[in-house]
Amino acid sequence: MDLRFGDSKPTDEEREAVDALLGPPESSWEGADRTDADLRWARGGRQARDRRDLLLPALHAVNDRVGWISGGALDYVCRRLTVPPAEAYGVATFYAMFSVRPRPATVLHVCTDLACTAAGASELCAAVEARLGPESGVKVERSPCLGLCERAPAALVVRAGHPARPAFEDEAVKAESGGPGAAAPGVGNGKGRRGRNTPHATAVCAPATPDTTVHAATAPETAPAEPAPQAAVPQAGDPALTLLHRIGTTDPASLDDYRAHGGYTALRRAFALGPAGVIREVTDAGLLGRGGAAFPTGRKWQATAAQPDHPHYLVCNADESEPGTFKDRVLMEGDPYALVEAMTVAAYATGAHRGYLYLRGEYPRALARLTHAVAQARARGLLGDDVLGQGYAFDIEIRRGAGAYVCGEETALFNSIEGHRGEPRSKPPFPVEKGLFGRPTVANNVETLVNVLPILTMGAQAYAAIGTPASTGPKLFCVSGSVARPGVYELPFGATLGELLTLAGVRDDLRAVLLGGAAGGFVRPDELGIPLTFEGTREAGTTLGSGVVMAFDDTVPLPRLLLRIAEFFRDESCGQCVPCRVGTVRQEEALRRIAERTGADAASDITLLREVGRAMRDASICGLGQTAWNAVESAIDRLGAYE
């Protein structure tokens, strides 16, 4: 392969960061006598090209160490992985958490999305920006949803370099000594090679005030610890809970405590049933995907297991980036071993021996706890070459996302893991035939996988008796906004929207409720009788989505909220297809004009919005563009937002 590299050189620090991940370079690369012709040729041939999937972890390694990715660092990564520099530059510039321009080592991400906007994020940003000028050494960035909606407004501090490890990274410290094969977060390529890298410092500030945010940005090592995960679960401790029953009652860092509270009972039953028996149980239970598409999980697993092409892969989609969604974060922080066990069950049923957990980059505590959980499971024989002594081999690798909402789409996620831009693929072929690395792949989100455990422990019939015939089992709902008790709630399918909001303490001056997040739709206060099922919301002309329920009182200006939704979709469009790339821009422009005008002047822009919305819905390649108009349309038609 003839590659063209630039003349930029990496610093010693950048080189060390990459080598810590990839291992030392070949001796033939050392020395200063190499000619330009020598450097144009790929070293390692096919073996080097097979490491393309380490591109995203390598970019993280540099970004974590230095704070940005220089031309020299990018060039060095490309040489080590035999990746064309132009392609690597396209990947590095695709993700919001990376920068290819110099910036301070400390970056403060202040959420400006829906729940945080309603909680005063604009005022918080203005106050923080006024106090953190260029001389502070802090880069302030207005960020999309950080997944901390129950504690809005929220901010996340990321400091690059080699700080002393703060107390809030204690789980990561444990993971590094967690037994044979323990790996640093996001490290490894799925082929047995592993490296080490020093974690960067992070601090979460939520609910954020100007004082606490400035303190966290300037001294993240001394920032207060986050509340325990059960603080996000108002029902914590209720013995009737199915999916959340361990949160607040079980030590999330202790494998022994997890097993004492029923952990690994489901995996043992899975081995007793066999792969076909597990799939039959999941199918009979009627489990539908909890990520929003509601596809039958058993059918997906069966289609993957039946593929003659091998190897098969399992991918856990933990990149929940929908504004208003934080249930998967709470599960991963409060019950990480449940996800490890559930992934093992799913892999066993579908014939996979390798699992990838794609975790959004804005979840530092979930990363630390899952890294620790995977390392402990591996050390105790619950992952590895002989799981539970059953002769079945399975291992999990954690891959960090870097800030791209579109990577929640499964094929975009595959591209991201493989070291390409996170752009969706055309279907067919479907992932069950050709998914990750072109092999049969089953992809499920965190909540879907965790539901498999009670199916196996209580049996398919008992599980199916929960909820409704078409929407079985319990469902997690992320409630935020104008309520007294925001958080994650577990209810059986079939409960009404009003019942859920009563639990959360909805305010009397309710103006609207957004179901399904930015890609969902608004309903009126007189529609709280809508049953929270996939079929019930569909009949009501809205969507359940992944379980987002955001309440807004009459103090929240709807035009500004809709404009923020449009800005979100414009920013997050991958730009691959014209309907979405152009349509999201035109939608934002029209909504901005409407926000600046009133009455009849807006009529022509509303007409334009409908035309653009239909085009995006009918012609976009993936769900991002297809749903970008949903919330705006429902606000116009159901709420009369611009009347």
Side-chain angles (χ1 to χ4, degrees):
M1 183 186 295
D2 189 2
L3 301 177
R4 303 283 176 171
F5 296 107
D7 297 327
S8 302
K9 305 296 182 186
T11 65
D12 289 343
E13 193 174 21
E14 292 167 340
R15 188 188 296 268
E16 289 169 4
V18 176
D19 291 349
L21 175 80
L22 303 180
E26 297 177 16
S27 59
S28 60
W29 288 35
E30 301 299 331
D33 312 58
R34 297 171 296 177
T35 66
D36 289 340
D38 290 333
L39 297 180
R40 278 171 38 208
W41 290 91
R43 300 273 181 180
R46 181 176 178 180
Q47 184 178 10
R49 291 193 294 276
D50 281 348
R51 291 164 34 118
R52 169 71 184 250
D53 69 296
L54 285 178
L55 179 56
L56 188 59
L59 295 176
H60 267 300
V62 175
N63 199 69
D64 290 350
R65 183 75 65 88
V66 182
W68 67 289
I69 302 165
S70 70
L74 190 65
D75 187 86
Y76 185 63
V77 170
C78 291
R79 293 179 193 276
R80 294 295 315 273
L81 297 178
T82 319
V83 175
E87 293 186 18
Y89 181 83
V91 173
T93 55
F94 185 82
Y95 297 96
M97 298 186 76
F98 294 151
S99 175
V100 294
R101 294 184 176 87
R103 66 179 179 183
T106 302
V107 179
L108 171 63
H109 302 272
V110 181
C111 179
T112 59
D113 241 312
L114 305 182
C116 289
T117 290
S122 297
E123 294 78 7
L124 173 66
C125 281
V128 170
E129 288 169 343
R131 294 170 61 176
L132 293 175
E135 68 284 350
S136 68
V138 177
K139 170 72 172 173
V140 180
E141 293 188 354
R142 299 189 177 217
S143 168
C145 185
L146 295 173
L148 295 161
C149 313
E150 84 281 13
R151 289 184 271 146
L156 170 67
V157 179
V158 179
R159 172 176 286 179
H162 284 290
R165 282 197 181 90
F168 50 77
E169 283 184 349
D170 59 341
E171 290 93 349
V173 175
K174 293 176 188 175
E176 291 184 356
S177 57
V187 172
N189 69 343
K191 302 178 178 66
R193 297 183 292 271
R194 299 195 179 274
R196 295 172 64 83
N197 226 330
T198 302
H200 54 296
T202 58
V204 170
C205 189
T209 66
D211 288 340
T212 59
T213 305
V214 169
H215 171 73
T218 53
E221 301 87 353
T222 62
E226 289 189 73
Q230 59 264 32
V233 183
Q235 300 165 298
D238 185 342
L241 296 176
T242 300
L243 304 178
L244 301 175
H245 71 281
R246 273 186 290 263
I247 296 180
T249 63
T250 306
D251 180 0
S254 172
L255 177 55
D256 290 331
D257 203 19
Y258 174 71
R259 298 182 78 165
H261 286 81
Y264 282 95
T265 303
L267 181 58
R268 291 185 183 280
R269 181 153 191 262
F271 283 132
L273 290 171
V278 173
I279 293 175
R280 185 168 54 252
E281 285 287 292
V282 172
T283 302
D284 292 347
L287 176 63
L288 302 179
R290 302 301 202 242
F295 191 84
T297 303
R299 191 189 309 173
K300 181 187 289 188
W301 287 16
Q302 178 60 49
T304 305
Q307 295 298 316
D309 194 14
H310 286 274
H312 295 180
Y313 289 104
L314 169 73
V315 173
C316 173
N317 184 347
D319 191 51
E320 60 170 3
S321 304
E322 183 73 44
T325 310
F326 49 95
K327 58 187 174 61
D328 289 352
R329 187 203 91 226
V330 173
L331 283 171
M332 291 185 289
E333 291 179 348
D335 199 8
Y337 289 104
L339 180 57
V340 174
E341 181 184 4
M343 288 183 67
T344 309
V345 171
Y348 174 68
T350 56
H353 297 282
R354 191 78 194 172
Y356 287 85
L357 199 168
Y358 190 93
L359 176 66
R360 72 173 300 192
E362 295 91 342
Y363 283 176
R365 183 162 67 176
L367 173 65
R369 292 200 168 165
L370 282 165
T371 301
H372 175 60
V374 168
Q376 288 296 303
R378 189 181 294 124
R380 301 276 287 274
L382 299 169
L383 290 175
D385 295 334
D386 188 15
V387 175
L388 277 178
Q390 297 292 317
Y392 168 67
F394 176 67
D395 211 341
I396 295 172
E397 182 177 340
I398 300 173
R399 287 295 178 90
R400 271 195 291 162
Y405 168 73
V406 72
C407 287
E409 197 278 336
E410 59 186 3
T411 61
L413 186 155
F414 300 157
N415 277 338
S416 182
I417 292 176
E418 292 176 18
H420 302 281
R421 287 167 61 89
E423 296 175 341
R425 303 172 184 174
S426 296
K427 301 174 191 175
F430 293 97
V432 297
E433 301 167 312
K434 291 188 180 297
L436 185 65
F437 305 120
R439 303 293 187 175
T441 303
V442 62
N444 293 119
N445 76 337
V446 174
E447 186 188 355
T448 305
L449 287 167
V450 171
N451 266 274
V452 173
L453 303 182
I455 289 174
L456 292 181
T457 54
M458 69 172 58
Q461 270 193 323
Y463 180 91
I466 303 171
T468 68
S471 297
T472 62
K475 178 74 184 80
L476 300 182
F477 297 95
C478 309
V479 184
S480 60
S482 304
V483 294
R485 295 176 292 279
V488 178
Y489 288 82
E490 178 185 318
L491 290 175
F493 273 116
T496 67
L497 177 58
E499 290 170 345
L500 173 61
L501 290 176
T502 298
L503 282 177
V506 68
R507 298 174 189 168
D508 294 334
D509 49 359
L510 184 66
R511 171 72 173 87
V513 179
L514 179 61
L515 292 180
F522 285 96
V523 298
R524 300 185 305 271
D526 61 353
E527 297 179 294
L528 301 187
I530 294 175
L532 295 174
T533 61
F534 293 115
E535 67 276 12
T537 52
R538 192 162 47 243
E539 289 171 7
T542 184
T543 178
L544 191 64
S546 60
V548 175
V549 178
M550 305 182 79
F552 300 102
D553 59 28
D554 55 14
T555 65
V556 179
L558 272 178
R560 178 68 196 115
L561 203 66
L562 297 177
L563 182 57
R564 179 65 192 104
I565 291 174
E567 291 170 348
F568 171 80
F569 282 111
R570 180 213 61 205
D571 288 340
E572 298 296 339
S573 172
C574 74
Q576 180 182 192
C577 67
V578 172
C580 180
R581 181 176 70 241
V582 177
T584 53
V585 174
R586 295 293 171 262
Q587 177 172 263
E588 185 207 356
E589 291 172 346
L591 287 171
R592 192 174 297 281
R593 288 193 298 267
I594 293 174
E596 295 170 356
R597 300 190 306 222
T598 57
D601 291 337
S604 60
D605 278 321
I606 291 177
T607 301
L608 174 64
L609 280 169
R610 295 188 187 280
E611 294 174 356
V612 170
R614 281 194 296 268
M616 289 193 291
R617 182 175 293 163
D618 294 342
S620 294
I621 195 173
C622 81
L624 187 150
Q626 293 163 10
T627 60
W629 154 245
N630 285 1
V632 178
E633 179 184 35
S634 64
I636 293 172
D637 293 341
R638 297 180 90 123
L639 304 181
Y642 299 113
E643 291 179 1

